[in-house]
């Protein structure tokens, strides 16, 4: 923390993890610029990052703790001790009545790794419930599960430098131009600098990302597994599989081959809505590339077939030997700035620190020993994942919930049910930097949290790079760093000794020991080394110099056989397919200048200017058919509810598909909150909800 000068930090929006230089004048952040020396962005920033100074001193900053006994009462200002005591007494009452699983903790990919670690240590190691999940469940758990199934452990094998060496990009379900703009610039540069580079984009919308594609496959939403199997079938037919790699480094090829063969381009083309010849062109461009890099995000992950889509992408990479070498690999781009840190620190309902699993008795014992808690303190019962958690609150199976750094009433699918569930809870504690948000409005306890430049800690970006965010300025009012709030609460719950940290670095030093000898070993990292390098990629065990750019370069995978696993996958329709009553497919997403639920970017005039209000995109064909005119209001209804939005008629949409950005929630207007109509169905393995496919009807108002 400084009064005047500059400090290095990391952007708190997307998982690109751009390094920042923060200029401070008289104790306030005056400006932000890209850090030229940062190994992930080399000085580049998008507009969201460049305007970060404008999200700090807003009139809705939450400045001091507040409580109320019930939702019909106004909040009253209290001291920190009173607020924490209030929360602790209600959590204790819930636990006394219903046991540890009657409470739950819901975090965020915005939390720093140290915050995540403490949140989980308290919930799983001391309170004894695995009901700790995060909004990252909505983001990348499908990718995390698929990596585990294919490689034995979680973690993207690639590095951003692979973008500079790839010959063919297969971008699926990812509008990188809007959602990871700095990485998109790097892809454009690679394409501009080499005439032979090919870009294949799979997206039902003709997004700005698809605009640079050599082959744009505008598939019907939800059909990616059929497409990817079909590409594999065509690669086999063309004799382009890498048999030497398959023989030496993989297992399970036979079943995958048998499954894929049923998906020839001719067979699937009509069903998925693209030409067979285009599928073949894409398959050959991928397989003939010297190095092919697949990149994907929510279009693959947020689906009831999310894990299968990820596995199908990994199958393609394995079949063509596109892994472990420059420019090649299956690269899942995480969405949030520290979704990776949450995976590392055990921030999900099924995980423990150091990529351990709550389902594994040995992992539970290791963590009990590490934390010095009695045997069987960590429950063997799987915790509630995001959608399950809010369902359980609505059913009063969970009566006390702690929500940190996220706004689930706005971001969760089936939002009316989520809001209704919180209204029934005995206590809702919300730890946030702003009030009101859609979620703080339903809280009993409001705890003011520090923002990105007001606290220190580490985050891991999409290329496994761990970076330190320095504290630039003091937090306003009585706001505190998240880790300190968790420590206060832990003390009030009777576990003060185990949470008596002098500073955030001490938490990192403890956390990194949980990674010793594991796939993500970080024991060779320290704040000092991370600061000096601008960030290091795991694994980095003690004694080694420099991080690990690329995983599996030696062709050895951390499975029991040392081989990567093919996983045969089959196309499954969406959980709630279209029918005569709901004949359109609604897909949700983002716009370039807004971030999630707009608690920050919604206050920056320059970011709001491009898209000042919510809208729905519809194809000219459908608009004509339904008499819908540009800019006019339409009503969109699903099996849950209906919303009203202004129509944007655009030929970037394929007929039968509608698109709504999810940023504008009920604080803007209940009538436009698209998550009210989105289905809460989720993938059976990853439990990631199907935010990219909802059957709806649409008509003009
Ligand atoms: S690309 Fe992502 S990390 Fe970089 S400045 Fe933009 S939002 Fe921040």
């Amino acid at each position: 923390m400084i009064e005047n000068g500059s400090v290095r930090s990391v952007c708190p929006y997307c998982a690109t993890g751009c390094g920042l230089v923060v200029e401070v004048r008289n104790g306030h952040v005056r400006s932000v610029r890209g850090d030229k020396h940062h190994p992930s962005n080399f000085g580049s920033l998008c507009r969201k990052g460049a305007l970060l100074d404008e999200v700090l001193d807003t009139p809705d900053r939450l400045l001091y703790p507040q409580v109320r006994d019930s939702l019909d009462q106004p909040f009253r200002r209290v001291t920190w001790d009173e607020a924490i005591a209030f929360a602790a007494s209600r959590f204790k009452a819930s636990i006394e009545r219903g046991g540890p699983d009657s409470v739950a903790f819901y975090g965020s990919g915005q939390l720093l790794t140290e915050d995540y670690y403490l949140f989980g240590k308290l919930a799983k190691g001391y309170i004894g419930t695995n009901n700790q999940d995060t909004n990252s469940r909505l983001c990348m758990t499908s990718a995390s599960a698929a990596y585990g199934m294919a490689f034995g452990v979680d973690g993207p094998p690639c590095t951003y430098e692979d973008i500079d060496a790839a010959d063919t990009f297969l971008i699926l379900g990812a509008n990188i131009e809007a959602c990871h703009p700095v990485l998109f610039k790097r892809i454009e540069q690679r394409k501009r600098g080499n005439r032979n580079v090919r870009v294949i984009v799979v997206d039902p919308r003709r997004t700005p990302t698809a605009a640079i594609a050599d082959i744009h496959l505008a598939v019907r939403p939800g059909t990616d597994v059929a497409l990817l199997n079909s590409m594999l079938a065509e690669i086999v037919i063309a004799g382009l599989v890498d048999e030497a790699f398959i023989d030496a480094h993989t297992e399970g090829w036979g079943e995958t081959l048998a499954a894929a063969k049923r998906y020839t381009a001719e067979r699937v083309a009509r069903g998925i809505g693209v030409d067979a010849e285009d599928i073949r062109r894409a398959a050959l461009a991928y397989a003939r590339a010297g190095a092919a890099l697949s990149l994907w995000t929510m279009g693959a992950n947020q689906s009831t077939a999310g894990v299968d889509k990820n596995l199908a992408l990994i199958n393609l990479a394995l079949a063509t030997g596109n892994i472990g070498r420059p420019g090649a690999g299956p690269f899942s781009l995480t969405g949030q700035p520290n979704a990776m840190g949450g995976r590392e620190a055990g921030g999900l309902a099924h995980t423990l620190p150091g990529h351990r699993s709550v389902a594994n008795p040995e992992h539970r014992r290791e963590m009990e020993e590490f934390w010095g808690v009695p045997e069987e303190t960590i429950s063997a019962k799987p915790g509630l994942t995001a959608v399950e958690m809010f369902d359980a609150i609505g059913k009063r199976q969970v009566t006390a919930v702690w929500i940190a750094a996220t706004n689930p009433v706005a971001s969760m699918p089936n939002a009316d049910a989520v809001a209704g569930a919180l209204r029934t809870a005995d206590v809702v504690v919300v730890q946030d930097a702003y009030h009101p948000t859609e979620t703080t409005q339903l809280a009993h306890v409001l705890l003011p949290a520090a923002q990105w430049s007001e606290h220190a800690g580490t985050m891991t970006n999409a290329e496994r790079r761990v970076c330190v965010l320095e504290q630039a300025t003091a937090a306003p009012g009585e706001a505190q760093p998240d880790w300190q709030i968790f420590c206060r609460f832990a003390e009030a719950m009777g576990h003060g000794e185990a949470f008596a940290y002098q500073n955030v670095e001490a938490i990192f030093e403890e956390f990194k020991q949980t990674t010793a000898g594991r796939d993500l070993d970080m024991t060779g990292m320290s704040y000092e080394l991370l600061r000096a390098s601008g960030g290091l990629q795991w694994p980095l065990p003690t004694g080694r110099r420099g991080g690990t750019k690329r995983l599996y370069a030696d062709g050895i995978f951390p499975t029991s056989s040392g081989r990567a696993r093919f996983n045969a996958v089959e196309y499954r329709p969406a959980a709630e397919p279209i029918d005569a009553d709901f004949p359109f497919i609604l897909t949700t997403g983002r716009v370039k200048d807004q971030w999630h639920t707009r608690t920050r970017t919604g206050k920056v005039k320059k970011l709001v200017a491009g898209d000042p209000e919510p809208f729905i995109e519809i194809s000219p064909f459908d608009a004509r058919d339904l008499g819908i005119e540009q800019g006019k209001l339409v009503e969109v209804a699903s099996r849950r509810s209906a919303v009203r939005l202004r129509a944007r008629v655009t030929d970037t949409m394929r007929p039968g598909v509608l698109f709504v950005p999810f940023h504008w929630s009920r604080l803007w207007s209940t009538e436009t909150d698209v998550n009210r109509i989105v289905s809460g169905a989720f993938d059976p393995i990853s439990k990631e909800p199907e935010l990219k496919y909802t059957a709806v009807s649409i008509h003009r108002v």
Side-chain angles (χ1 to χ4, degrees):
M1 189 164 69
I2 54 172
E3 201 46 30
N4 289 293
S6 64
V7 297
R8 295 175 85 187
S9 187
V10 181
C11 177
Y13 291 129
C14 87
T16 304
C18 294
L20 310 173
V21 177
V22 182
E23 291 293 337
V24 180
R25 288 288 173 273
N26 302 320
H28 291 273
V29 173
R30 195 174 140 198
S31 66
V32 168
R33 65 176 190 275
D35 181 352
K36 286 194 176 107
H37 303 292
H38 196 277
S40 294
N41 63 315
F42 303 104
S44 283
L45 287 185
C46 74
R47 281 155 55 86
K48 292 192 290 277
L51 292 166
L52 265 166
D53 54 308
E54 295 191 25
V55 306
L56 294 167
D57 298 325
T58 60
D60 60 346
R61 280 301 299 264
L62 184 54
L63 298 176
Y64 43 81
Q66 298 170 50
V67 301
R68 57 180 167 180
D69 295 309
S70 60
L71 297 186
D72 53 10
Q73 292 179 358
F75 283 110
R76 60 182 188 278
R77 180 175 176 173
V78 292
T79 65
W80 265 105
D81 285 345
E82 286 166 337
I84 293 289
F86 182 100
S89 73
R90 293 215 172 177
F91 267 69
K92 283 178 184 165
S94 277
I95 293 168
E96 265 167 36
R97 271 196 314 273
D101 286 337
S102 66
V103 304
F105 300 86
Y106 189 67
S108 160
Q110 301 287 322
L111 290 173
L112 304 177
T113 301
E114 292 82 354
D115 305 327
Y116 253 129
Y117 173 71
L118 289 195
F119 213 26
K121 178 176 174 178
L122 178 62
K124 290 166 180 159
Y126 285 82
I127 290 177
T129 180
N130 293 325
N131 292 344
Q132 178 213 4
D133 213 50
T134 150
N135 61 11
S136 298
R137 179 72 58 182
L138 280 54
C139 170
M140 49 75 229
T141 43
S142 295
S144 169
Y147 279 140
M149 290 166 74
F151 305 139
V153 295
D154 179 19
C158 308
T159 180
Y160 294 160
E161 280 181 30
D162 289 327
I163 293 172
D164 312 328
D167 299 311
T168 291
F169 294 90
L170 170 59
I171 301 172
L172 184 141
N175 185 7
I176 300 178
E177 190 269 349
C179 301
H180 298 83
V182 166
L183 294 184
F184 185 71
K185 259 198 227 164
R186 209 156 160 173
I187 295 169
E188 280 186 310
Q189 263 164 19
R190 173 66 183 158
K191 188 164 159 59
R192 256 199 308 271
N194 188 328
R195 293 169 51 198
N196 297 321
V197 166
R198 292 283 170 271
V199 177
I200 305 159
V201 172
V202 182
D203 198 311
R205 303 166 59 214
R206 197 173 72 242
T207 60
T209 306
I212 67 156
D214 300 284
I215 306 170
H216 174 207
L217 301 171
V219 293
R220 288 208 171 88
T223 60
D224 308 87
V225 168
L227 169 76
L228 294 166
N229 274 356
S230 171
M231 284 176 66
L232 185 52
E234 294 302 323
I235 290 168
V236 172
I237 291 166
L240 292 172
V241 292
D242 186 340
E243 280 171 15
F245 181 86
I246 293 172
D247 286 349
H249 302 295
T250 70
E251 59 193 14
W253 171 235
E255 295 87 335
T256 298
L257 177 63
K261 273 184 172 170
R262 294 193 290 274
Y263 290 79
T264 56
E266 265 71 24
R267 260 194 211 168
V268 304
R270 207 186 144 123
I272 68 177
V274 296
D275 286 345
E277 190 47 37
D278 286 342
I279 299 175
R280 223 168 351 253
R281 280 174 57 220
L284 299 189
Y286 181 89
R288 286 188 178 140
L293 187 67
S294 46
L295 297 159
W296 68 93
T297 60
M298 303 315 145
N301 296 343
Q302 293 175 334
S303 164
T304 47
V307 175
D308 287 352
K309 292 179 186 181
N310 277 264
L311 290 172
L313 283 156
I314 294 170
N315 286 345
L316 270 185
L318 293 177
T320 50
N322 273 304
I323 190 162
R325 53 194 181 80
F331 196 174
S332 141
L333 295 176
T334 37
Q336 297 196 75
N338 199 31
M340 285 286 288
R343 280 146 87 165
E344 296 153 8
L348 292 151
H350 64 291
T351 63
L352 290 168
H355 283 175
R356 288 178 176 82
S357 164
V358 297
N360 184 323
E362 207 172 307
H363 289 176
R364 294 199 301 274
R365 206 167 41 249
E366 284 167 6
M367 286 313 303
E368 285 163 354
E369 210 169 286
F370 183 81
W371 283 330
V373 297
E375 271 182 36
E376 298 186 12
T377 301
I378 301 175
S379 172
K381 191 174 157 196
L384 296 166
T385 61
V387 173
E388 296 169 330
M389 186 181 285
F390 289 97
D391 278 353
I393 296 168
K395 291 176 186 150
R396 299 239 350 125
Q397 291 158 354
V398 167
T399 49
V401 60
W402 192 293
I403 297 168
T406 183
N407 186 8
V409 176
S411 56
M412 288 286 293
N414 205 1
D416 285 343
V418 172
L422 290 182
R423 284 195 190 96
T424 69
D426 292 345
V427 63
V428 176
V429 180
V430 182
Q431 179 171 325
D432 205 308
Y434 301 100
H435 173 63
T437 71
E438 286 79 359
T439 304
T440 61
Q441 286 180 322
L442 298 176
H444 300 91
V445 183
L446 292 178
L447 302 176
Q451 260 280 9
W452 63 276
S453 59
E454 299 155 2
H455 59 174
T458 56
M459 295 204 295
T460 309
N461 71 12
E463 59 168 350
R464 290 173 285 104
R465 189 179 299 282
V466 183
C467 301
V468 175
L469 281 86
E470 304 289 359
Q471 182 173 358
T473 57
E478 296 177 16
Q480 292 202 351
D482 294 292
W483 70 267
Q484 287 182 10
I485 301 173
F486 296 145
C487 289
R488 275 178 178 267
F489 180 59
E491 190 181 5
M493 294 297 282
H495 310 298
E497 252 178 57
F499 290 81
Y501 298 96
Q502 291 304 306
N503 53 43
V504 71
E505 192 172 344
I507 305 168
F508 180 79
E509 286 299 310
E510 178 178 311
F511 158 65
K512 82 178 188 190
Q513 296 308 327
T514 71
T515 68
R518 299 190 60 77
D519 64 290
L520 73 169
D521 197 326
M522 297 182 194
T523 51
M525 294 183 188
S526 64
Y527 268 35
E528 193 186 343
L529 283 174
L530 294 172
R531 282 175 174 135
S533 58
L536 292 162
Q537 289 167 285
W538 58 253
L540 175 52
T542 310
R544 197 194 289 173
R545 282 168 68 87
T548 307
K549 258 187 206 167
R550 205 168 283 110
L551 302 181
Y552 318 132
D554 56 3
I556 298 171
F557 294 85
T559 57
S560 49
S561 62
R563 289 166 173 266
R565 298 183 197 117
F566 279 101
N567 289 269
V569 287
E570 301 279 1
Y571 164 71
R572 283 181 283 124
E576 193 180 83
I578 53 172
D579 58 18
D581 294 331
F582 299 100
F584 285 85
I585 301 170
L586 170 74
T587 180
T588 61
R590 294 137 205 268
V591 298
K592 187 170 183 175
D593 281 350
Q594 289 300 318
W595 177 256
H596 284 194
T597 64
R598 298 175 80 249
T599 50
R600 288 177 293 194
T601 48
K603 287 150 201 156
V604 182
K605 274 190 192 150
K606 285 180 196 153
L607 295 180
V608 171
D611 291 298
E613 61 172 20
F615 58 88
I616 183 164
E617 288 184 351
I618 182 169
S619 79
F621 175 85
D622 290 330
R624 236 185 346 263
D625 204 32
L626 297 166
I628 290 169
E629 290 168 39
Q630 188 73 269
K632 292 287 160 55
L633 273 185
V634 297
E635 184 165 290
V636 193
S638 75
R639 293 178 173 91
R640 281 153 294 284
S641 192
V643 293
R644 288 183 173 200
L645 296 150
R646 222 166 272 290
R648 270 192 197 172
V649 182
T650 165
D651 64 5
T652 59
M653 295 302 296
R654 57 170 294 151
V657 181
L658 308 166
F659 169 77
V660 178
F662 76 94
H663 305 293
W664 288 269
S665 187
R666 59 190 66 203
L667 266 191
W668 177 273
S669 162
T670 315
E671 286 215 333
T672 61
D673 177 5
V674 73
N675 274 334
R676 292 177 55 225
I677 67 175
V678 170
S679 158
F682 52 72
D683 182 282
I685 296 172
S686 69
K687 312 280 179 86
E688 182 158 350
E690 188 148 62
L691 295 161
K692 297 294 186 202
Y693 188 117
T694 301
V696 296
S697 62
I698 178 168
H699 62 85
R700 64 183 178 163
V701 176

